[in-house]
Amino acid sequence: MRQPVLLLAMQAAWSCLCRATQHYPAAWGHYDVCKSQVYTDEGLTWDYMACQPEAGDMTKYLRVTLDPPNITCGDPPETYCALENPYMCNNECDANTVELAHPPELMFDFEGRNPTTFWQSTSWRKYPKPLLVNITMSWNKTIELTDDIVITFESGRPEQMVLEKSLDYGRTWQPYQFYATDCLDAFTMDPKTVQDLTQHTLLDIICTEDYSRGYVWKYDKTVRFEIKDRFALFAGPQLHNMASLYGQLDTTKNLRDFFTITDLRIRLLRPATGATMVDENNLSRYFYAISDIKVQGRCKCNLHANSCVFDKEKLTCECEHNTTGPDCGRCKKNYQGRAWNSGSYLPIPKGTANICVPSIVGPVNCECFGHSNRCSYIELLNTVICVSCKHNTRGQHCQLCKLGYYRNATAELDDKNVCLECKCDPFGSESDRCNGTGFCKCKEGATGPKCTECQPGYLWNNGCKSRVCDELLRCQNGGVCHNNLRCQCPAAFTGLLCEKPRCEGEAAGCGDPDSGQAALRLPPTPLLLLPLLLAPAWAAPL
Ligand SMILES: *[C@@H]1O[C@H](CO)[C@@H](O)[C@H](O)[C@H]1NC(C)=O
Ligand SMILES: *[C@@H]1O[C@H](CO)[C@@H](O)[C@H](O)[C@H]1NC(C)=O
Ligand SMILES: *[C@@H]1O[C@H](CO)[C@@H](O)[C@H](O)[C@H]1NC(C)=O
Ligand SMILES: *[C@@H]1O[C@H](CO)[C@@H](O)[C@H](O)[C@H]1NC(C)=O
Ligand SMILES: *[C@@H]1O[C@H](CO)[C@@H](O)[C@H](O)[C@H]1NC(C)=O
Ligand SMILES: *[C@@H]1O[C@H](CO)[C@@H](O)[C@H](O)[C@H]1NC(C)=O
Ligand SMILES: *[C@@H]1O[C@H](CO)[C@@H](O)[C@H](O)[C@H]1NC(C)=O
């Protein structure tokens, strides 16, 4: 499976992490086909399923960077002492002689040769200044890890090291695991092992001492990041219950992200010394050498592709379900009939494809900012308009807010919540509509953006009512001021302030025919009379 040298050799090559064309339904929970043909009442149609590329060796597709860049041994040539034996110092590193050079590519080449090929750093010449090396592996593509990361050292395993990951192409880094002979001393962390983790602490970042001891043991040369042991917390010891893991991955984004990377970084912080004291007279004993790094995984294609190609130095998902982008992370143009969604592992075993559906109806582009997927052609106007705009929108392209709603200025037009309800107070406002910034039109006396407050001189009582009576403006003839809003008059009097005697038959003083009418209208609508009350005309009715 493995190919000779990384990237450089891949430039010419075109590889495919894909399956042979298969026309049988997905094997149980393997998600290896994106669609299959089925017979239905309507004849032969496609059945769409969640799918993912096969897992494989990801070291074939990475770009490796060393920091500092000139940390590889051999320029100028150096001699090294054998680890086991400080008196054997005849190992040479010379960058200009192929047989004696130890470039970074040798960490990713074919293993099983004799002698082993490996990358090697310069020795710890600047002791006690720390010997720090960063080995950064970049895919420029999101990858989902499917098996343990295994680093095989040719030198002793480092006494301190950190494995880090990035999910954003190297912009930010998070630790994955700490490694030390003494976790407390090196990182002030309690030593743990992956066996200490539970389903609830799976995402914890631990420091382990498991891979830093055994200075020169020939069979103790690997440092691991245990993916499978973590999977096993959900899928059982033999990973026999992958359905349970997939179900968990489906519903827990943090868990999915934990196993997803775009880059990995090995930070070598202190080489193996095998003793408490560093032999300062013989620093050629201390260096890092790595013969192999294994990274198994698959392209992350959001369950919308079952193959991933390496072309022009770049991994790309071969998206199906009318999706596009390096990770099939969006709907294709003209297939935006509904919002993009990742495929789902559930229900097991076929999952849910969540395909993108056409946004086109008829020969013309139906652009409704995702608020409708139906358009209608209006012949008279020779134009296409969106039909049944949802999310409280309206307009030819559902680009306006329905009456009673206003635009959230910070939201994009295709946001489901772009239109906000005016929420005008039904008593304080003229109508349920508002202006472009959500201000309602208030009735007299009311104020505030939603007309929920009263101006001075007004009182809230299902809207703002003018103050009619109080200590200063008294009800007359024994009338009682009620809530400052009206005078409750004795039977013989009427008027806003009970200032008028009630008319009895044709009695004198009731000469004005209008006054009786006004008095009748008074109780239900005192507000209407307010201007009259204040106007001098009131004293001498027309
Ligand atoms: C290694 O990378 C870390 C960040 O991940 C950075 O802080 C550190 O300076 C780097 N060390 C070297 C030697 O480049
Ligand atoms: C690597 O380069 C840096 C700066 O360019 C220099 O200071 C350092 O001595 C070099 N190290 C080696 C081992 O050549
Ligand atoms: C990463 O991929 C993008 C395309 O997705 C490309 O534009 C960019 O140049 C690539 N970066 C590197 C460092 O290869
Ligand atoms: C390392 O130490 C041994 C024994 O002290 C000595 O023979 C050898 O020359 C030293 N190597 C170097 C590179 O100094
Ligand atoms: C898009 O999806 C439709 C089904 O909705 C399918 O018939 C068609 O082949 C797909 N087109 C592409 C380019 O994938
Ligand atoms: C307006 O939209 C922005 C962006 O979507 C959102 O953060 C904000 O909460 C919205 N405002 C209201 C009042 O809903
Ligand atoms: C809405 O009305 C308020 C209050 O009158 C005013 O401040 C604001 O500028 C108006 N907004 C628009 C878009 O007219």
Side-chain angles (χ1 to χ4, degrees):
M1 276 301 286
R2 306 201 51 161
Q3 296 195 347
V5 180
L6 82 164
L7 217 52
L8 309 170
M10 301 318 278
Q11 287 177 351
W14 181 94
S15 3
C16 177
L17 275 179
C18 46
R19 290 157 203 284
T21 317
Q22 291 169 333
H23 293 292
Y24 49 85
W28 189 87
H30 283 216
Y31 306 99
D32 45 9
V33 290
C34 298
K35 59 182 178 189
S36 67
Q37 281 198 306
V38 290
Y39 278 102
T40 67
D41 294 345
E42 293 154 33
L44 203 56
T45 62
W46 289 104
D47 186 20
Y48 296 94
M49 288 160 283
C51 52
Q52 64 186 9
E54 197 170 12
D57 171 12
M58 282 291 148
T59 60
K60 295 192 260 180
Y61 313 110
L62 58 76
R63 183 186 301 271
V64 64
T65 321
L66 260 58
D67 246 318
N70 57 357
I71 198 70
T72 299
C73 68
D75 184 21
E78 269 186 89
T79 56
Y80 290 84
C81 307
L83 269 177
E84 311 87 44
N85 187 345
Y87 298 97
M88 272 178 58
C89 297
N90 53 0
N91 290 334
E92 253 188 280
C93 177
D94 180 353
N96 293 315
T97 309
V98 175
E99 302 80 47
L100 300 177
H102 294 287
E105 295 90 271
L106 299 181
M107 291 186 280
F108 306 103
D109 65 347
F110 174 77
E111 286 307 300
R113 285 192 202 137
N114 201 5
T116 342
T117 58
F118 54 91
W119 163 80
Q120 186 170 319
S121 74
T122 58
S123 63
W124 202 358
R125 286 182 303 232
K126 292 193 180 137
Y127 177 86
K129 216 176 146 232
L131 179 60
L132 304 178
V133 182
N134 282 354
I135 301 169
T136 306
M137 293 164 268
S138 307
W139 281 270
N140 199 12
K141 169 82 189 79
T142 42
I143 303 290
E144 292 166 338
L145 298 174
T146 56
D147 204 342
D148 295 4
I149 297 169
V150 187
I151 305 156
T152 308
F153 282 82
E154 181 67 15
S155 63
R157 296 180 296 187
E159 289 183 359
Q160 291 175 18
M161 139 178 177
V162 189
L163 182 67
E164 293 184 331
K165 65 171 275 198
S166 172
L167 239 176
D168 54 10
Y169 307 96
R171 275 187 286 279
T172 60
W173 293 89
Q174 297 83 41
Y176 233 166
Q177 193 145 302
F178 293 85
Y179 302 86
T181 43
D182 186 337
C183 283
L184 211 51
D185 179 58
F187 303 113
T188 56
M189 291 170 83
D190 283 325
K192 289 219 171 82
T193 70
V194 72
Q195 275 72 38
D196 296 329
L197 296 174
T198 65
Q199 288 192 355
H200 298 291
T201 58
L202 189 147
L203 305 184
D204 285 4
I205 306 303
I206 59 168
C207 178
T208 179
E209 297 177 353
D210 274 10
Y211 303 106
S212 310
R213 285 178 260 113
Y215 171 52
V216 292
W217 297 113
K218 277 261 182 279
Y219 303 104
D220 243 358
K221 295 191 147 198
T222 59
V223 173
R224 274 176 188 270
F225 180 66
E226 310 87 342
I227 298 282
K228 286 212 155 159
D229 287 340
R230 284 174 170 83
F231 281 175
L233 289 174
F234 288 108
Q238 265 77 52
L239 301 184
H240 53 77
N241 190 3
M242 284 303 275
S244 157
L245 175 67
Y246 282 144
Q248 220 33 250
L249 288 172
D250 219 75
T251 48
T252 322
K253 182 177 186 296
N254 283 352
L255 188 66
R256 214 163 49 228
D257 284 352
F258 184 83
F259 298 108
T260 306
I261 59 164
T262 57
D263 304 70
L264 279 177
R265 176 173 285 165
I266 301 166
R267 294 181 62 186
L268 302 168
L269 301 176
R270 185 181 167 91
T273 60
T276 41
M277 296 287 288
V278 171
D279 176 4
E280 291 193 45
N281 300 320
N282 214 324
L283 292 169
S284 301
R285 289 172 64 185
Y286 311 118
F287 54 88
Y288 307 107
I290 295 178
S291 59
D292 188 47
I293 299 179
K294 282 195 166 57
V295 183
Q296 295 272 324
R298 63 164 60 95
C299 287
K300 177 189 165 92
C301 304
N302 285 300
L303 296 175
H304 287 310
N306 65 352
S307 68
C308 184
V309 295
F310 188 73
D311 193 19
K312 300 194 185 78
E313 290 187 39
K314 174 127 180 70
L315 280 170
T316 313
C317 299
E318 296 222 291
C319 301
E320 306 242 14
H321 304 155
N322 286 309
T323 61
T324 186
D327 306 345
C328 311
R330 17 177 240 276
C331 289
K332 269 189 184 163
K333 194 169 184 277
N334 298 337
Y335 282 90
Q336 288 155 351
R338 66 164 172 240
W340 176 89
N341 221 320
S342 161
S344 163
Y345 285 114
L346 304 175
I348 306 278
K350 279 163 79 180
T352 310
N354 287 331
I355 63 168
C356 293
V357 300
S359 41
I360 281 186
V361 168
V364 276
N365 197 347
C366 183
E367 177 49 84
C368 308
F369 294 107
H371 303 305
S372 169
N373 50 23
R374 278 205 301 132
C375 277
S376 162
Y377 178 68
I378 311 286
E379 211 168 351
L380 192 70
L381 303 171
N382 184 27
T383 188
V384 177
I385 61 160
C386 300
V387 179
S388 317
C389 295
K390 283 178 300 195
H391 313 135
N392 304 309
T393 61
R394 65 180 175 100
Q396 184 181 356
H397 302 292
C398 306
Q399 83 280 24
L400 303 171
C401 288
K402 253 173 36 179
L403 298 179
Y405 291 81
Y406 69 106
R407 167 93 196 264
N408 178 349
T410 51
E412 297 290 331
L413 257 179
D414 58 2
D415 194 317
K416 259 194 256 179
N417 300 311
V418 66
C419 291
L420 303 170
E421 200 182 343
C422 290
K423 294 193 177 143
C424 298
D425 186 274
F427 298 105
S429 316
E430 296 266 14
S431 75
D432 60 358
R433 300 181 196 171
C434 55
N435 76 4
T437 43
F439 282 80
C440 305
K441 191 154 185 225
C442 298
K443 286 184 188 162
E444 187 184 336
T447 186
K450 309 295 175 196
C451 310
T452 50
E453 293 146 47
C454 290
Q455 287 171 355
Y458 289 82
L459 292 168
W460 186 264
N461 183 4
N462 290 344
C464 293
K465 306 287 159 61
S466 164
R467 177 182 286 264
V468 167
C469 50
D470 57 23
E471 301 78 31
L472 297 173
L473 191 61
R474 290 178 193 278
C475 305
Q476 298 167 28
N477 297 312
V480 180
C481 183
H482 204 76
N483 291 338
N484 300 99
L485 289 173
R486 67 190 173 91
C487 292
Q488 218 162 24
C489 301
F493 292 90
T494 184
L496 201 59
L497 296 173
C498 315
E499 75 283 8
K500 282 195 281 181
R502 263 191 208 282
C503 297
E504 279 165 24
E506 305 294 313
C510 300
D512 188 353
D514 283 350
S515 63
Q517 215 181 344
L520 278 175
R521 270 167 51 195
L522 223 160
T525 55
L527 207 65
L528 288 175
L529 294 172
L530 181 76
L532 299 175
L533 175 71
L534 299 175
W538 176 252
L542 298 169

